[in-house]
Amino acid sequence: EVPALPRHVFLDADPAPEAIEREWHRLIGRAREHGFAIAIGHPHDATLDWLEAALPALDRGEVQLVTLASLLAAESGQFAAAGKPSRHEP
């Protein structure tokens, strides 16, 4: 019963900067389409360099960086709410 969410993008399965950029755009697109997206990656220099350049742009866009814990809390709240009848139901 360990809470978990799936990852949607592996940023640096291919550590080439072009591949990281491609996966980053997949991540952002998925987040816009579905409301959230989860990515994983390694602390490779190429990955860290890409994130250092890309993360400040999130402040100007419609995608927000949040912790996994906050996503888990939101998801568990949604699951709990989905299982409970509304106060307006008989």
Side-chain angles (χ1 to χ4, degrees):
E1 295 187 31
V2 175
L5 292 169
R7 67 126 170 110
H8 303 106
V9 173
F10 192 159
L11 284 175
D12 57 2
D14 177 347
E18 305 80 30
I20 296 170
E21 180 176 9
R22 184 175 53 251
E23 294 303 304
W24 176 260
H25 290 292
R26 280 188 55 226
L27 175 70
I28 299 303
R30 204 271 180 212
R32 286 183 175 138
E33 184 176 336
H34 297 283
F36 77 99
I38 298 172
I40 62 170
H42 297 99
H44 298 308
D45 287 341
T47 308
L48 296 174
D49 290 344
W50 176 258
L51 290 173
E52 186 176 4
L55 289 176
L58 292 179
D59 291 337
R60 297 186 299 271
E62 61 201 52
V63 176
Q64 179 183 15
L65 184 66
V66 298
T67 65
L68 185 56
S70 66
L71 282 178
L72 284 166
E75 287 293 306
S76 65
Q78 288 175 4
F79 294 141
K84 294 180 183 176
S86 166
R87 285 189 271 168
H88 303 291
E89 293 178 348

